[in-house]
Amino acid sequence: MTFPQTEKIAALAARIESRLPALLQRAPSLADELCYEVQPASLKQVCIALRDEPELRFEILIDLAGIDYLDYASSEWKTLSATDSGFSRGVSRGGARLPHDGARFAVAYQLLSVTHNQRVRLRARCEDAEDPIIDSVVDIWPGANWFEREAFDLFGILFTGHPDLRRILTDYGFIGHPFRKDFPLIGNVEVRYDADKQRVVYEPVSIEPRTLVPKVIRNDNRYDPALKTQK
């Protein structure tokens, strides 16, 4: 597979691939971006090299996010008209599935080199679809602490070696992981303050489920070429 790339990105890719041969696989990205797939077993080795090698020096983890590939690329997006069937998933034109190696969960790492003013993105896939586990990078970039807690809270991804892996956005007694595509949009329980008991109580959800529809793309006459001022 060929990748369109700028001269700056090509030079960065050459430095990374010469330092980490056979440990990274190039992933599709925009011309001014660089993305690599890394195997979970090699994640920490790759991250340490990206941080410490003088010609790389990715000192900062800008962001870390979970990815859920459930039903990924199973059907075309429906964007030209509203439907009552809810959201669908995007695929490449012609119906071919976009590659994700069958792994349901993955973690994306956005890295920044202040020294060289460069950015790179890593993506590592969790091998177990039911109980996704991957190594923590908190000992490499301490700023990953809250990011990994967020990915655990919302996706259920476990980070081996994290010093304090607990929920960060949902309630302590929350059940499930809201960003999993199999999690009900209305949730499983609701909470309210009970004046008689003088405490917060948990109860079954009382609202009715609703179907969300994708954004509808409409033609805007303001941008009709025939209306442009002739020069």
Side-chain angles (χ1 to χ4, degrees):
M1 180 182 296
T2 59
F3 302 90
Q5 57 188 9
T6 64
E7 182 178 340
K8 183 177 180 180
I9 291 297
L12 175 60
R15 292 200 303 271
I16 291 176
E17 291 165 16
S18 64
R19 175 59 186 83
L20 298 165
L23 292 179
L24 296 171
Q25 180 180 357
R26 189 79 177 272
S29 57
L30 299 177
D32 57 349
E33 295 181 350
L34 186 59
C35 180
Y36 287 102
E37 292 271 1
V38 56
Q39 294 299 315
S42 304
L43 175 64
K44 299 199 74 167
Q45 178 184 353
V46 168
C47 288
I48 291 172
L50 289 174
R51 183 195 64 181
D52 294 345
E53 287 297 317
E55 67 272 24
L56 303 177
R57 297 294 294 164
F58 287 95
E59 310 101 330
I60 300 177
L61 173 70
I62 293 292
D63 192 20
L64 179 156
I67 307 171
D68 184 355
Y69 286 105
L70 181 67
D71 292 335
Y72 178 76
S74 62
S75 62
E76 292 282 3
W77 286 101
K78 300 174 182 177
T79 56
L80 297 180
S81 62
T83 72
D84 60 1
S85 61
F87 288 111
S88 58
R89 307 295 170 211
V91 299
S92 60
R93 293 191 178 277
R97 292 179 65 92
L98 299 176
H100 66 96
D101 299 335
R104 175 176 174 180
F105 293 99
V107 180
Y109 306 81
Q110 308 285 352
L111 307 180
L112 169 66
S113 170
V114 176
T115 302
H116 302 295
N117 190 25
Q118 299 274 20
R119 295 175 185 265
V120 69
R121 179 169 63 252
L122 295 181
R123 185 170 59 204
R125 306 181 185 280
C126 304
E127 296 176 345
D128 192 327
E130 296 300 322
D131 297 305
I133 300 175
I134 199 165
D135 286 335
S136 171
V137 295
V138 170
D139 56 335
I140 301 174
W141 296 290
N145 192 320
W146 282 19
F147 292 141
E148 291 182 351
R149 284 180 59 187
E150 181 184 48
F152 161 69
D153 193 356
L154 300 181
F155 290 94
I157 299 172
L158 300 172
F159 293 87
T160 304
H162 191 285
D164 187 23
L165 192 61
R166 54 192 169 92
R167 294 188 182 273
I168 192 171
L169 296 176
T170 59
D171 186 68
Y172 292 114
F174 193 88
I175 298 174
H177 304 283
F179 279 10
R180 290 195 178 199
K181 296 188 179 78
D182 51 3
F183 184 85
L185 294 180
I186 61 172
N188 293 310
V189 296
E190 62 185 26
V191 298
R192 67 176 179 84
Y193 179 77
D194 190 302
D196 295 330
K197 297 180 180 179
Q198 297 186 354
R199 64 179 177 84
V200 172
V201 297
Y202 291 79
E203 297 175 335
V205 176
S206 59
I207 62 176
E208 293 294 328
R210 62 190 178 93
T211 301
L212 296 180
V213 296
K215 177 182 178 182
V216 178
I217 299 176
R218 298 181 177 89
N219 293 326
D220 192 331
N221 292 331
R222 293 177 299 172
Y223 302 103
D224 190 323
L227 298 179
K228 290 184 178 181
T229 302
Q230 299 295 326
K231 294 183 180 180

